[in-house]
Amino acid sequence: MPVDPLWNSTTARQLSEQRRPGALIRLGREHRSWTLADLGERIGCSAATVSRLERRARVIDLGLVHLAAAEVGVPRHTLMTSLAPPSTPAPAGTRVTASPRDAEEDPMRRRTLLTATAAAGPAALLMGLDEALAATPTSTTGLGPLDGRLAAARELYDKGVHGRLLAVLPGLIADGHRAAASRKDLDQARLSSVYTLTSSVLSKIGSYERARLTADRARTWAEVSGSPLAAAAAARELAIVLRHQDRHGEAQRLMTSAATDVETTGLRTDAAAAAYAQML
């Protein structure tokens, strides 16, 4: 289904960025010319409860927020952004990058990282991601070119802003699938990159089953696209998950095979050479 232009308006974007899910629900309700009682009747609560839901800055009943938002048409990606933690900079000691050293960080540093990022991956954000993974989104979010948003999402990962990243991933997955429907190799490779990034952040917060699922999807779309670089990136993420699951032999065989595939390209580009070196 196409997204209502209301949710691409300046007002809707500002409310989402200001972390005001209740105000978004009120915006959708008034857009439909519903009273508080009208919405309450639809979601099984009183008008007074709806009023409190819309006015409160802090979410008390997450289930009711999701129910009300869906009823008034708030898009999933917009709601997830409004529920994300504030984008405060991560302390220097807990920032992470997508460098080859990530897989070699010592246990103490990893425990510190997981503790520091636990608040950045609340259940609400993982719920939104789970829904996007369970039922592949087909509607576009209308948030702009995928390349620029994917680059911005990678920057969030590099800065360790995992909560914000989890909030935008459902929208990226939706638009990635919409683009891949073109059956163009480049669009399919972009979708593989979206899933690779998703797997990366899920591994960082210790959600290894989800990370395994998304790494598998990244590999599938990389194979469909025919891109050896997309396949190498996806294989590396899957190998990281396997290592955390104490399946070191499988991880090594996977990386060896992926490195060989990249090597056969002749390493004629800087990107190919960098991917090869990273896997080695």
Side-chain angles (χ1 to χ4, degrees):
M1 292 178 58
V3 176
D4 190 310
L6 169 69
W7 305 113
N8 289 324
S9 67
T10 300
T11 299
R13 289 174 184 270
Q14 288 177 342
L15 292 176
S16 182
E17 291 168 0
Q18 292 167 2
R19 311 296 192 270
R20 298 174 60 190
L24 284 171
I25 292 169
R26 181 175 63 244
L27 181 67
R29 175 178 62 78
E30 293 177 345
H31 180 65
R32 293 169 181 255
S33 300
W34 290 351
T35 65
L36 292 168
D38 289 335
L39 179 55
E41 183 177 352
R42 285 172 167 80
I43 62 176
C45 65
S46 67
T49 299
V50 174
S51 178
R52 287 192 295 271
L53 183 71
E54 293 180 348
R55 289 185 288 106
R56 279 177 173 159
R58 186 164 63 94
V59 175
I60 302 297
D61 188 334
L62 183 60
L64 193 59
V65 168
H66 277 274
L67 190 62
E71 193 68 30
V72 301
V74 181
R76 174 63 57 184
H77 67 275
T78 301
L79 179 63
M80 288 300 101
T81 298
S82 74
L83 291 171
S87 56
T88 53
T94 62
R95 286 180 182 269
V96 294
T97 63
S99 71
R101 292 191 297 275
D102 285 350
E104 305 303 328
E105 60 192 11
D106 62 85
M108 178 62 75
R109 180 169 180 266
R110 182 160 189 82
R111 284 196 296 272
T112 302
L113 174 65
L114 291 178
T115 299
T117 58
L125 299 180
L126 287 175
M127 184 188 304
L129 184 55
D130 281 342
E131 290 182 6
L133 296 176
T136 302
T138 56
S139 60
T140 181
T141 63
L143 293 177
L146 190 60
D147 277 344
R149 290 165 51 214
L150 183 54
R154 287 193 180 111
E155 185 175 353
L156 291 176
Y157 176 83
D158 290 341
K159 292 179 178 179
V161 190
H162 297 145
R164 288 284 304 280
L165 178 54
L166 288 170
V168 303
L169 281 173
L172 278 175
I173 292 172
D175 287 351
H177 275 279
R178 181 65 175 263
S182 69
R183 299 184 182 277
K184 294 180 180 178
D185 292 347
L186 185 57
D187 289 332
Q188 292 166 338
R190 285 193 185 98
L191 179 55
S192 174
S193 296
V194 171
Y195 276 121
T196 294
L197 179 61
T198 304
S199 181
S200 296
V201 69
L202 288 171
S203 288
K204 281 297 177 187
I205 65 173
S207 183
Y208 298 123
E209 291 302 320
R210 292 183 180 93
R212 173 66 187 267
L213 170 64
T214 49
D216 281 336
R217 291 192 184 180
R219 292 191 73 202
T220 297
W221 282 103
E223 290 173 4
V224 170
S225 74
S227 168
L229 294 185
R236 179 174 180 270
E237 290 308 319
L238 180 55
I240 289 173
V241 175
L242 291 173
R243 182 178 66 83
H244 284 297
Q245 295 177 333
D246 293 324
R247 299 165 67 178
H248 302 281
E250 292 178 60
Q252 184 173 349
R253 288 191 293 273
L254 176 62
M255 289 300 291
T256 300
S257 175
T260 299
D261 289 343
V262 174
E263 187 177 17
T264 59
T265 67
L267 307 181
R268 289 185 291 270
T269 67
D270 290 342
Y276 183 68
Q278 188 178 53
M279 286 188 291
L280 292 180

